[in-house]
C-alpha cells in the first residue's frame, strides 16, 4: 500500500480540532499554550458544547486565545478573568464558562479574584498555565518562579530572603471549601497530554453539573523566557518544576 | 495478521520547527527539513521511505500548532 493510498479521508485518525481555526498562532515554537488550546477545543467538541461555551481570555501570552478557538470569548482586564466568569456564569447558568489564565495573570495581579471566585464555589473552570515566568513581557520574575531560577529581573536567581518564596496557588485552592476539583497536570509527553485532557474534561463536566469551582493547573514551558530550545525546556521542566510542583489531583470531591 | 500502516501530512506553512514531534516519534521518522517556510520557520519532514510509520498519532498529539494530520490503515 502506497503512501498516497493511505492518505484518504476515511483513514484520517487525528487532525487539528475543527474548533481551532487556521489562524497562525502567535506563540513561540514549542509553546505549551498550543497544546492546551488543542485540548480545550477537543474537549468542548467532544462534549457537544460548541454553541454553549464561553471562554474568558486573560492578559498575557494567551490574550489572543479568542483568535484561535471558535467559541464565544470575553476579554478580561488583567487578572480579573474569574470575576468576569462569575458574572457570565450567573447570567447564563447553562453555559460552560471557563477562564484561561497564565501565572502572571492568575497568581499575581489576579490572586484576590481567583481565590474568592474559587472560595465562593462558582461553577466555573479555571485553566491555569504555570510556566514560572512572565512570558509576554520579556521573561520577568513571576510569583511562581522557582528559587534559584534566573529571569530578567532576578539575573542572579530568585532568592527567598530578597524575593520571597514561589506561590503554590493550586495547593491554596485545594484548601478552599468552594472548590470541587483541583488538579495539577502537564503536557510534555503524550501520556501527560492524555491525562491533562481527561482532567480538563472532568473539570468542565463538574462546572456544567454545578458541583463547584474547578482549577486545572498545567505546568508548562516557556522556551523563550527560559532561553532554552523547546526540547531542552521540556527536560528542564521535568527536572526542576516537577519536584516543586508535583503532578496529580489535589482535591476531588466527586470521589466519595 | 494484518499490518498497521500509517502516514502523516505536515502542514509546512503552520510548522514552527520546535522539533517536539521528532522527539515524540517512537521510530524517529521525523527530522528537520533544512528549509524554511514563508514565515521564516524551519519546518520538519517525515522521512519514511520504508513505510515504517504506524500512525500512532504521538507526533500530532504533542504538536503545539496542530500541523500534523495522521492517517492509519490496517492492511491484510
Amino acid at each position: 500500500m502506497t503512501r498516497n493510498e493511505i492518505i484518504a479521508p476515511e483513514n484520517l485518525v487525528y487532525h487539528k480540532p475543527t474548533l481551532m481555526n487556521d489562524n497562525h498562532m502567535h506563540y513561540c515554537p514549542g509553546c505549551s499554550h498550543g497544546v492546551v488550546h488543542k485540548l480545550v477545543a477537543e474537549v468542548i467538541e467532544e462534549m457537544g458544547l460548541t454553541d454553549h461555551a464561553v471562554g474568558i481570555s486573560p492578559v498575557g501570552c494567551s490574550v489572543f486565545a479568542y483568535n484561535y478557538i471558535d467559541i464565544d470569548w470575553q476579554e478580561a482586564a488583567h487578572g480579573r478573568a474569574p470575576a468576569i466568569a462569575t458574572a457570565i456564569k450567573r447570567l447564563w447558568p447553562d453555559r460552560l464558562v471557563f477562564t484561561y489564565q497564565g501565572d502572571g495573570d492568575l497568581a499575581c495581579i489576579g490572586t484576590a479574584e481567583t481565590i474568592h471566585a474559587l472560595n465562593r464555589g462558582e461553577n466555573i473552570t479555571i485553566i491555569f498555565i504555570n510556566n514560572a515566568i512572565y512570558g509576554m513581557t520579556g521573561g520577568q520574575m513571576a510569583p511562581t518562579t522557582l528559587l534559584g531560577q534566573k529571569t530578567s529581573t532576578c539575573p542572579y536567581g530568585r532568592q527567598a530572603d530578597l524575593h520571597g518564596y514561589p506561590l503554590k496557588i493550586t495547593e491554596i485552592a485545594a484548601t478552599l471549601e468552594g472548590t470541587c476539583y483541583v488538579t495539577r497536570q502537564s503536557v510534555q509527553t503524550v501520556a501527560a497530554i492524555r491525562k491533562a485532557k481527561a482532567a480538563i474534561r472532568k473539570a468542565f463536566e463538574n462546572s456544567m453539573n454545578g458541583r463547584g469551582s474547578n482549577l486545572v493547573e498545567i505546568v508548562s514551558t516557556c522556551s523563550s523566557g527560559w532561553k532554552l530550545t523547546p526540547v531542552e525546556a521540556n527536560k528542564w521542566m521535568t527536572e526542576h518544576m516537577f519536584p516543586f510542583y508535583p503532578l496529580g489531583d489535589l482535591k476531588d470531591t466527586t470521589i466519595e | 495478521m494484518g499490518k498497521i500502516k500509517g502516514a502523516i501530512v505536515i502542514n509546512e506553512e503552520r510548522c514552527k520547527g520546535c522539533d517536539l514531534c521528532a522527539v515524540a516519534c517512537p521510530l524517529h521518522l521525523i527530522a528537520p527539513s533544512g528549509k524554511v517556510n514563508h514565515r521564516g520557520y524551519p519546518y520538519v519532514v517525515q522521512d519514511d521511505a520504508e513505510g515504517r510509520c504506524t500512525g500512532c498519532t504521538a507526533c500530532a498529539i504533542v504538536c503545539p500548532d496542530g500541523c500534523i494530520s495522521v492517517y492509519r490503515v490496517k492492511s491484510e
Side-chain angles (χ1 to χ4, degrees), chain A residues 174-198:
Chain A
T175 64
L176 303 174
E177 290 293 322
T179 50
C180 168
Y181 180 51
V182 179
T183 186
R184 185 182 282 124
Q185 302 293 336
S186 183
V187 288
Q188 88 286 16
T189 60
V190 176
I193 292 170
R194 291 212 166 106
K195 275 188 196 165
K197 184 178 174 182

Side-chain angles (χ1 to χ4, degrees), chain B residues 8 22 25-31 45-49 51-54:
Chain B
I8 63 170
C25 178
L27 299 171
H28 310 293
L29 298 174
I30 303 174
V45 286
Q46 186 190 29
D47 180 19
D48 187 23
R52 292 167 66 209
C53 176
T54 59

Side-chain angles (χ1 to χ4, degrees), chain A residues 215-233:
Chain A
L215 178 67
V216 181
E217 174 179 346
I218 313 274
V219 182
S220 304
T221 59
C222 179
S223 45
S224 296
W226 296 353
K227 316 247 184 297
L228 299 169
T229 67
V231 176
E232 288 169 352

Side-chain angles (χ1 to χ4, degrees), chain A residues 11 13-14 25 27 34 38, chain B residues 8 13 16 60 63-64 70 72:
Chain A
N11 297 333
V13 287
Y14 190 96
M25 291 202 276
Y27 301 118
K38 272 197 326 190
Chain B
I8 63 170
E13 282 306 307
K16 291 177 183 159
C63 176
V70 184
R72 191 194 301 144

